[in-house]
Amino acid sequence: MKRRLLHALTVATVVFSGTAVVAAPASASDAWGIVCNLRQNTWLRAEPHGHVLLTLTAGRGFRWHGQVSAVDDDVWIYGHGAEHPSVDGWVPAGNTTC
């Protein structure tokens, strides 16, 4: 009887501890923008055709701040990726669903 009670208490402890995990809230930038998705892995650049700041992952969000630049027939948009909300830069508009 003691063994069965101990087993039941152990199972209950494992089940309840699994439900007590608190999910961390998602954080996002307070900057205004339209949320788009990235179609492919994309480099976030300091300026259109400029040096690379970091790589953004396909399928993740991109917050476009409304700025557009057309350079050499390429359209670039300014904003930040979901992975790095504190780093703004330029990505080719064709790499997003905006």
Side-chain angles (χ1 to χ4, degrees):
M1 182 69 174
K2 284 184 181 181
R3 184 179 233 179
R4 191 174 264 173
L5 181 60
L6 181 61
H7 179 70
L9 288 174
T10 302
V11 170
T13 302
V14 169
V15 169
F16 290 126
S17 66
T19 59
V21 175
V22 177
S27 62
S29 168
D30 292 334
W32 177 89
I34 298 165
V35 177
C36 313
N37 283 322
L38 294 168
R39 296 176 190 224
Q40 61 191 43
N41 289 347
T42 303
W43 286 335
L44 184 72
R45 296 178 179 264
E47 58 189 50
H49 297 295
H51 74 275
V52 175
L53 298 172
L54 48 93
T55 301
L56 301 174
T57 308
R60 298 294 307 265
F62 181 80
R63 185 178 299 265
W64 172 35
H65 298 308
Q67 291 176 287
V68 178
S69 177
V71 178
D72 300 330
D73 296 327
D74 293 328
V75 177
W76 295 77
I77 59 175
Y78 184 79
H80 64 266
E83 296 115 319
H84 304 282
S86 62
V87 181
D88 289 338
W90 295 90
V91 299
N95 293 1
T96 70
T97 61
C98 294

